[in-house]
């Protein structure tokens, strides 16, 4: 084949029709193409190869055609699944097929069409674009595939143990506390900007201002309706909204700040939080009040907090108070996933200055093993935006502060996904070995327990006398071959195990770790 005066492959011009003999070979007759689509495929191949050997092109086209005709629908689906299993979720360390992300897979070998849906754990997944691109590439690389259609979606918002929660919280996937345990460090600023960052990433978000004594949310956002309304039929609270984020604060209840005793405050917070019609949310950000007292403990016990973000400043005094908060969350089995050190530095005359010293945030990270640290600079605009009713990440979405909050948002999404995965798979029943497998979150310790051992170690009032400590449940009361009917997570600290007699046992991870374990674990795990 002679290509005349072709400066580049993009401007090649054919001087023969596709049905003519080129280089002594009649293309269409030799390949017995059944439709013009195959002719177009060959022309594209010739353009791509330029002056390469024609016989190589013909052989390749013949091979592709033969390969496509020999693929069955079952084989096609298996090939697509195998191709997609090459894509690894960086948070879970597992391929997207094993994670259960691939849904509604349809293949047509005759037309070369493949379509499927990738259902991620959150619409704010920071690698969703990468997943979509890789999925298109690996499937399109299959010889018989002509067209790939990938649809992206997210799992419906739902906590891991929804049925054990107040109705208002049953359709919220993740609840994140933003806490400082010290006033004046910018905690509310971090909470609000984090919430709007998550919303910008595509998530459905709400903010709950848990400070009754001095609510900040009404100053930091500007909703059209500044008064919370009540649904007269359900007697539930309807949150107000600003830029798509749902908002609830005592300051929107027409009360301003309040003067009341601790137990009353706890009751007000509980009512506001649990009787609100939040709807489906991917993230509810709770702006915690400062301190580690009754109000904070009530929140942590009523609400299944997935994680906490700790806010501090460079001063040593701030670190001392923050350390108390981290210890509180640790005791309540709420993982602290990030530290935000506010008012760290400012730049002037080409230099960076640290007016309040350095190291408080780093010390929190090092002492408590919190994996991520974010430094916020001193910015007049950050403070001004908080007073103006427009969050900084909304006012200046391309600025340095917005970039830092974007990194924090990605961190929160990834860490919450990891925690949900760890909690949902922490305790399970292996029917083949008739053993309960335990893999405690945030620990490398994995072991197996005999079901009867777990049942006999119940410490509830039904099994142990609360006053005398006398064991009411006797060893022989539990059959040796008992098997659990259902195992479900209970927050980040325990599981609920349902037994054949209808008894529901709460088994904390700490207690499971102290029970007699089955030996020969390597044999069990294969």
């Amino acid at each position: 084949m002679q290509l005349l005066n072709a400066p580049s492959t993009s401007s090649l011009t054919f001087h023969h029709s596709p049905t003519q003999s080129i280089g002594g070979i009649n293309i269409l007759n030799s390949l017995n193409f059944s439709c013009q689509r195959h002719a177009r495929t060959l022309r594209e191949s010739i353009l791509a190869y330029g002056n390469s050997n024609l016989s190589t092109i013909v052989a390749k086209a013949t091979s592709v055609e033969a390969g496509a005709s020999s693929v069955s629908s079952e084989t096609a689906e298996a090939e697509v699944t195998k191709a997609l299993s090459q894509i690894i979720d960086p948070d879970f360390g597992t391929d997207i097929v094993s994670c259960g992300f691939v849904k509604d897979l349809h293949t047509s070998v005759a037309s070369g069409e493949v379509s499927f849906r990738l259902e991620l754990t959150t619409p704010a997944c920071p690698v969703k674009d990468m997943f979509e691109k890789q999925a298109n590439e690996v499937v399109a690389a299959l010889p018989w595939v002509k067209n790939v259609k990938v649809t992206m979606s997210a799992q419906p918002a739902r906590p891991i143990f929804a049925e054990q929660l107040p109705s208002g919280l049953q359709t919220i996937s993740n609840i994140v506390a933003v806490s400082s345990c010290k006033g004046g460090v910018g905690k509310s600023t971090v909470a609000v900007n984090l919430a709007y960052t998550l919303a910008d990433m595509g998530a459905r978000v709400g903010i709950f201002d848990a400070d009754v004594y001095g609510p900040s949310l009404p100053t930091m956002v500007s909703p059209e309706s500044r008064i919370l309304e009540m649904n007269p039929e359900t007697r539930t609270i309807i949150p107000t909204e600003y830029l798509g984020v749902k908002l609830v604060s005592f300051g929107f209840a027409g009360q301003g700040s309040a003067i009341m005793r601790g137990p009353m405050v706890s009751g007000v917070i509980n009512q506001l939080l649990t009787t609100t019609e939040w709807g489906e949310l991917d993230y509810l950000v709770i702006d915690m009040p400062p301190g580690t007292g009754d109000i904070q403990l009530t929140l942590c016990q009523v609400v299944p907090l997935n994680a906490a973000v700790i806010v501090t400043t460079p001063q040593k005094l701030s670190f001392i108070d923050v350390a108390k908060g981290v210890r509180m969350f640790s005791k309540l089995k709420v993982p602290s996933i990030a530290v935000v050190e506010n008012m760290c530095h400012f730049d002037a005359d080409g230099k960076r200055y640290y007016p309040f010293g350095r190291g408080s945030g780093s010390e929190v990270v090092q002492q408590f093993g919190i994996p991520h640290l974010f430094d916020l600079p001193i910015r007049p605009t950050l403070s001004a935006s908080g007073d103006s009713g427009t969050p900084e990440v909304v006012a200046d979405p391309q600025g340095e502060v917005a970039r830092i909050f974007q990194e924090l948002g990605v961190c929160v999404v990834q860490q919450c996904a990891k925690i949900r995965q760890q909690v949902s798979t922490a305790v399970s029943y292996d029917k083949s070995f008739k053993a309960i497998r335990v893999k405690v979150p945030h620990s490398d310790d994995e072991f197996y327990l005999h079901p009867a051992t777990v049942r006999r170690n119940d410490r509830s009032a039904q099994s142990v006398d609360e006053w005398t400590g006398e064991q009411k449940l006797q060893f022989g009361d539990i059959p040796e071959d008992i098997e659990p009917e259902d195992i479900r997570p209970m927050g980040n600290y325990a599981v609920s195990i349902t037994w054949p007699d209808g008894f529901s046992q709460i088994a904390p991870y700490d207690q499971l770790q102290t029970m007699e374990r089955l030996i020969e674990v390597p044999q069990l795990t294969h």
Side-chain angles (χ1 to χ4, degrees):
M1 179 178 66
Q2 182 67 38
L3 300 175
L4 302 176
N5 302 322
S8 68
T9 55
S10 62
S11 59
L12 292 177
T13 303
F14 285 97
H15 294 272
H16 305 274
S17 73
T19 58
Q20 289 177 331
S21 175
I22 301 177
I25 302 176
N26 187 301
I27 300 298
L28 293 187
N29 290 337
S30 64
L31 294 181
N32 192 25
F33 285 147
S34 59
C35 65
Q36 289 300 313
R37 174 171 62 85
H38 300 96
R40 287 197 299 272
T41 302
L42 180 63
R43 285 201 298 273
E44 291 168 359
S45 299
I46 294 174
L47 285 171
Y49 279 92
N51 287 321
S52 6
N53 189 284
L54 181 60
S55 61
T56 303
I57 300 172
V58 173
K60 179 176 176 64
T62 306
S63 173
V64 170
E65 182 71 11
S69 62
S70 64
V71 176
S72 67
S73 58
E74 293 81 5
T75 304
E77 193 166 309
E79 287 185 357
V80 173
T81 302
K82 183 178 180 181
L84 291 172
S85 66
Q86 302 174 59
I87 305 172
I88 305 299
D89 186 295
D91 298 326
F92 300 150
T94 309
D95 67 88
I96 62 174
V97 176
S98 300
C99 287
F101 294 166
V102 180
K103 308 285 186 180
D104 305 331
L105 174 59
H106 299 286
T107 61
S108 173
V109 179
S111 63
E113 301 276 341
V114 176
S115 65
F116 54 90
R117 177 168 57 89
L118 293 184
E119 184 183 72
L120 306 180
T121 56
T122 169
C125 177
V127 291
K128 59 185 176 184
D129 293 337
M130 181 190 76
F131 279 162
E132 184 176 7
K133 180 175 180 292
Q134 290 181 343
N136 268 297
E137 290 175 351
V138 296
V139 176
L142 295 173
W144 55 272
V145 174
K146 304 299 180 185
N147 185 42
V148 183
K149 182 180 179 182
V150 184
T151 305
M152 305 300 291
S153 67
Q155 296 173 7
R158 182 169 289 274
I160 300 173
F161 48 107
E163 61 280 348
Q164 301 157 10
L165 298 175
S167 59
L169 303 178
Q170 289 184 4
T171 51
I172 301 174
S173 290
N174 302 280
I175 303 179
V176 180
V178 178
S179 175
S180 66
C181 303
K182 180 176 178 62
V185 300
K187 169 183 52 60
S188 296
T189 298
V190 171
V192 170
N193 281 279
L194 170 60
Y196 280 92
T197 298
L198 292 170
D200 185 61
M201 293 170 67
R204 295 160 293 186
V205 184
I207 307 175
F208 179 70
D209 182 358
D211 194 344
V212 172
Y213 292 123
S216 303
L217 197 58
T219 305
M220 305 188 74
V221 293
S222 306
E224 288 187 13
S225 174
R226 302 184 67 84
I227 299 293
L228 295 174
E229 297 180 4
M230 180 171 285
N231 186 323
E233 295 181 1
T234 61
R235 305 296 294 174
T236 54
I237 298 169
I238 303 173
T240 186
E241 288 192 26
Y242 176 58
L243 300 178
V245 175
K246 295 183 178 181
L247 313 167
V248 171
S249 170
F250 190 71
F252 291 138
Q255 302 294 326
S257 59
I259 301 174
M260 60 181 76
R261 294 186 180 274
M264 295 174 63
V265 173
S266 299
V268 169
I269 289 175
N270 193 350
Q271 181 183 6
L272 281 173
L273 182 58
T274 60
T275 62
T276 292
E277 295 180 7
W278 290 107
E280 288 198 350
L281 294 182
D282 299 297
Y283 300 92
L284 176 61
V285 178
I286 298 185
D287 181 7
M288 298 282 286
T292 55
D294 182 66
I295 299 171
Q296 290 75 17
L297 291 173
T298 299
L299 272 170
C300 292
Q301 290 167 349
V302 170
V303 182
L305 296 176
N306 295 77
V309 174
I310 308 300
V311 183
T312 184
T313 54
Q315 297 96 324
K316 183 178 180 180
L317 185 61
S318 179
F319 166 77
I320 293 172
D321 286 336
V322 164
K324 296 177 185 176
V326 175
R327 292 190 184 99
M328 176 191 73
F329 285 122
S330 178
K331 288 180 180 178
L332 296 169
K333 307 299 181 185
V334 178
S336 298
I337 58 174
V339 175
V340 178
E341 189 170 20
N342 195 18
M343 297 179 280
C344 280
H345 53 74
F346 67 90
D347 297 330
D349 304 324
K351 296 181 181 180
R352 176 156 290 183
Y353 297 90
Y354 296 85
F356 304 118
R358 304 178 67 174
S360 174
S362 299
E363 195 171 350
V364 174
V365 169
Q366 293 169 7
Q367 184 165 328
F368 297 102
I370 300 173
H372 303 284
L373 173 64
F374 300 89
D375 295 340
L376 280 175
I378 299 173
R379 284 282 190 277
T381 54
L382 185 57
S383 175
S385 62
D387 294 337
S388 68
T390 304
E392 173 74 356
V393 296
V394 175
D396 185 12
Q398 303 300 321
E400 180 188 5
V401 170
R403 178 186 58 78
I404 296 170
F405 274 106
Q406 182 73 23
E407 295 172 359
L408 175 61
V410 169
C411 170
V412 167
V413 170
Q414 292 176 333
Q415 294 299 313
C416 283
K418 285 183 180 179
I419 291 167
R420 287 177 64 87
Q421 178 74 2
Q422 290 171 342
V423 169
S424 63
T425 60
V427 182
S428 58
Y429 182 61
D430 192 322
K431 290 186 177 180
S432 60
F433 299 116
K434 295 187 176 181
I436 294 177
R437 172 189 167 276
V438 182
K439 176 68 171 70
V440 178
H442 313 292
S443 170
D444 295 328
D445 194 14
E446 181 178 352
F447 54 92
Y448 286 78
L449 300 172
H450 195 288
T453 300
V454 176
R455 179 67 178 87
R456 289 165 181 153
N457 276 274
D458 176 56
R459 306 303 297 170
S460 69
Q462 295 188 40
S463 303
V464 181
D465 190 291
E466 292 182 281
W467 299 102
T468 65
E470 179 186 355
Q471 187 75 33
K472 294 194 292 185
L473 179 69
Q474 301 303 314
F475 187 93
D477 295 340
I478 305 301
E480 199 66 26
D481 60 351
I482 191 170
E483 297 183 59
E485 290 188 341
D486 186 41
I487 300 178
R488 299 194 179 190
M490 285 278 294
N492 297 321
Y493 70 94
V495 290
S496 172
I497 306 175
T498 303
W499 298 98
D501 59 2
F503 180 69
S504 182
Q505 177 182 356
I506 305 301
Y509 298 145
D510 292 347
Q511 184 189 11
L512 293 175
Q513 288 176 300
T514 64
M515 294 182 188
E516 182 181 359
R517 304 179 182 185
L518 291 172
I519 57 175
E520 299 182 5
V521 174
Q523 181 181 347
L524 287 172
T525 55
H526 289 295

